[in-house]
Amino acid sequence: MPVGESKSIRRSPWTGAQYKLLKMIAPKEPSTMDGSAFLAKGKLRTLLGDGFLEEIRGKTVIDFGCGEGSEAIQMALAGAEQVTGLDIQTPLLERGRVRAKEAGIAERCRFVTAVDEPSDVVTSIDAFEHFNDPEGALAIMYGLLRPGGRLIVSFGPTWYHPLGGHLFSVFPWAHLVFSEDALIAWRADFKTDGATKFQETAGGLNGMTINRFERMVRNSPFEIESLEEVPIRTLRRLHSKWTREWTTAIVRARLRKP
């Protein structure tokens, strides 16, 4: 029996039929969201604006959910006084340390699993759709800021985006067409981590929507300086308050700790 034909396939004939269709559509792991959108300006300038790197010059920054540290290193190279990359995945942190050393900024750019000192700025980039407990993560970010400090957020795609299923987006909105069981069974053909739900996959998916993020932020102690939806370029003319869940590329927010 193929790896993908796991317990979920045997559990339901309907899931098995979906799995077989998925294998026909995408026999190999898809290469969606490969980072090519950031080639012209770089990821930080594209997601956070041209003035972001100037804004953090001389400031202390925590990059919450830093991964391998590419953005943390870029912030340090741009002149931030101290950058702390924070993540729970120790192999990724070690890669960040190696890269910071190679860039000659290891003293100003560290990578850790926990931090006590508050900072001037906390960044969260491409993470809010992945946190297992996003409300809890937002509360932790609040605690990591000095009074008057800012949380700068950019994330997406959100759940109803055409590619909101990330890896599971074998075609637009595939994650909404196929069942979770079928998609997980299909994924098991090329991933061996034993995940049985979206949230158990590497990085996790929490189904974050724009409405949920807005409610979460408005119910927090943060002051909202800006909350912005950037439309998908090809769907810009269709973007409105009624269609935003389906036509927004990324969500950006600037929040201030009083």
Side-chain angles (χ1 to χ4, degrees):
M1 177 179 290
V3 175
E5 295 201 36
S6 58
K7 293 180 180 179
S8 61
I9 295 296
R10 295 193 299 270
R11 187 166 59 235
S12 164
W14 174 235
T15 298
Q18 292 180 73
Y19 165 79
K20 291 177 181 178
L21 181 56
L22 280 164
K23 287 295 292 180
M24 291 174 60
I25 296 170
K28 298 181 180 180
E29 181 176 357
S31 58
T32 56
M33 296 179 290
D34 57 4
S36 58
F38 308 129
L39 291 177
K41 296 175 62 175
K43 189 171 185 177
L44 288 177
R45 291 187 185 278
T46 300
L47 295 180
L48 303 180
D50 292 332
F52 170 72
L53 293 177
E54 181 64 32
E55 178 184 354
I56 63 169
R57 190 171 305 221
K59 294 183 178 179
T60 57
V61 182
I62 295 173
D63 187 16
F64 195 101
C66 65
E68 295 185 358
S70 298
E71 289 71 49
I73 290 169
Q74 187 178 350
M75 287 186 265
L77 289 172
E81 178 183 321
Q82 179 73 44
V83 181
T84 300
L86 184 64
D87 208 297
I88 60 173
Q89 301 186 64
T90 52
L92 300 184
L93 294 174
E94 185 55 38
R95 290 177 212 166
R97 294 184 190 109
V98 171
R99 296 173 71 178
K101 185 176 181 180
E102 291 173 347
I105 54 168
E107 293 184 359
R108 293 192 298 107
C109 187
R110 60 177 183 154
F111 294 90
V112 299
T113 56
V115 62
D116 295 324
E117 314 87 54
S119 68
D120 301 315
V121 177
V122 171
T123 58
S124 175
I125 303 168
D126 287 341
F128 263 98
E129 73 271 42
H130 297 292
F131 294 135
N132 187 51
D133 177 14
E135 289 83 2
L138 185 64
I140 293 172
M141 294 176 197
Y142 185 87
L144 292 174
L145 283 166
R146 296 189 176 100
R150 286 177 172 81
L151 169 60
I152 300 176
V153 175
S154 175
F155 74 94
T158 54
W159 189 241
Y160 293 111
H161 182 286
L163 302 180
H166 290 63
L167 169 67
F168 299 105
S169 298
V170 298
F171 59 81
W173 293 293
H175 61 296
L176 303 179
V177 174
F178 292 97
S179 71
E180 183 174 18
D181 279 350
L183 287 163
I184 289 292
W186 164 81
R187 177 186 181 274
D189 279 355
F190 45 85
K191 299 290 185 181
T192 58
D193 54 13
T196 61
K197 297 179 180 179
F198 290 148
Q199 286 192 335
E200 295 175 1
T201 61
L205 282 176
N206 59 27
M208 180 62 67
T209 65
I210 299 171
N211 283 337
R212 180 183 177 188
F213 182 74
E214 278 192 350
R215 287 195 306 269
M216 186 171 64
V217 167
R218 296 190 190 284
N219 289 333
S220 77
F222 277 108
E223 294 177 353
I224 300 174
E225 292 189 333
S226 65
L227 192 55
E228 178 187 6
E229 306 143 19
V230 180
I232 299 170
R233 189 174 305 167
T234 56
L235 300 178
R236 184 180 299 274
R237 293 185 179 182
L238 300 176
H239 189 267
S240 71
K241 65 179 181 179
W242 308 110
T243 64
R244 64 179 188 164
E245 292 284 6
W246 308 89
T247 60
T248 293
I250 60 172
V251 176
R252 293 196 286 229
R254 291 176 59 90
L255 311 175
R256 181 180 179 274
K257 181 175 182 175

